[in-house]
Amino acid sequence: MNQNVGQYLSNFLAERKISEAKFAEELHISRPMVTYILKGERSLSLKQALRIERYCDLEEGTLLHMQVEQHLSQYKKDLRGKIYNRLIDQKAFWSYPLGVPDHITDEELIEKTFVCLDLDDIKLLFDLFPKTFIKKVWVENMLPQGDYLRRLNTMVAFLYFRIDNPESYIARQEKLQQKRRLNYV
């Protein structure tokens, strides 16, 4: 169920040939509010969601869950756009054709953010992606760059992944990467 609440309810009403006016009247919700909900311009209150779920014979919490998923998706899209725009401002994508933030992979976004942006922007990554994924990208994409990013990697290891002895951790990871490369040859 990957559609928004308004789309779902509009489809429900259309399939059953129920008018917005009748829907509003039966649920004791104002007609303008129903229109706003169907257009996706208003969120459901808990009371409205429960009423509508009963009316539509849906499992309790279905519409609220759908609404939360929708808000979360929009929040992450906005956050990704904010990070992307900050990277554009810093000329991080000078060699890329500019376009929509979705054209940049998650891995590229993480790596460029670590390399080009400040601590406040880096914190945003942890709202956007799971810490384990960020660490995986860091280990696989940034640590192999060795001396070029040594100071940055030491700071990232200490600040963001709470690694007590970053230098020895980085050295161990570099040895592991070398072994993996030798095994592929």
Side-chain angles (χ1 to χ4, degrees):
M1 203 181 282
N2 203 8
Q3 57 186 334
N4 70 39
V5 172
Q7 289 172 324
Y8 178 84
L9 293 175
S10 292
N11 292 341
F12 177 86
L13 296 177
E15 288 170 8
R16 287 158 184 79
K17 296 180 176 37
I18 301 169
S19 71
E20 286 183 32
K22 181 175 169 83
F23 185 66
E25 181 183 323
E26 289 187 20
L27 290 170
H28 305 289
I29 298 173
S30 73
R31 174 79 163 64
M33 180 56 81
V34 168
T35 301
Y36 290 137
I37 291 168
L38 295 178
K39 287 182 177 180
E41 295 173 1
R42 291 283 197 291
S43 295
L44 296 173
S45 69
L46 178 60
K47 187 177 180 179
Q48 290 167 337
L50 291 171
R51 247 187 231 165
I52 295 170
E53 286 168 350
R54 280 190 216 104
Y55 182 85
C56 297
D57 199 28
L58 293 171
E59 187 176 320
E60 195 171 274
T62 300
L63 295 176
L64 289 176
H65 179 72
M66 198 183 302
Q67 187 168 273
V68 167
E69 289 287 323
Q70 187 179 334
H71 288 300
L72 181 61
S73 175
Q74 187 61 50
Y75 171 75
K76 287 191 169 201
K77 183 178 178 180
D78 293 346
L79 193 54
R80 188 175 188 23
K82 180 179 181 177
I83 294 169
Y84 177 79
N85 288 332
R86 290 278 297 127
L87 288 166
I88 293 294
D89 291 345
Q90 295 299 314
K91 311 276 190 267
F93 299 117
W94 60 271
S95 65
Y96 292 61
L98 295 181
V100 183
D102 297 338
H103 290 91
I104 304 301
T105 67
D106 294 343
E107 291 83 358
E108 289 171 313
L109 191 74
I110 291 168
E111 185 176 349
K112 293 286 187 187
T113 300
F114 274 126
V115 172
C116 300
L117 299 182
D118 63 21
L119 297 176
D120 290 333
D121 296 317
I122 292 169
K123 285 180 192 175
L124 297 176
L125 288 176
F126 292 87
D127 289 341
L128 190 56
F129 303 107
K131 186 175 182 176
T132 53
F133 178 68
I134 295 170
K135 187 173 182 181
K136 178 181 180 283
V137 170
W138 173 67
V139 167
E140 292 176 2
N141 296 7
M142 295 177 66
L143 287 184
Q145 295 187 39
D147 289 339
Y148 175 66
L149 295 178
R150 175 88 52 212
R151 286 185 180 166
L152 174 64
N153 284 330
T154 302
M155 180 204 69
V156 168
F158 185 75
L159 283 179
Y160 296 104
F161 302 117
R162 304 287 187 235
I163 297 170
D164 290 330
N165 190 345
E167 292 84 6
S168 75
Y169 177 85
I170 291 169
R172 284 193 314 274
Q173 289 300 320
E174 286 173 343
K175 286 179 186 176
L176 283 172
Q177 292 290 340
Q178 286 172 347
K179 283 183 183 178
R180 286 186 190 127
R181 278 183 289 220
L182 290 174
N183 288 336
Y184 284 122
V185 175

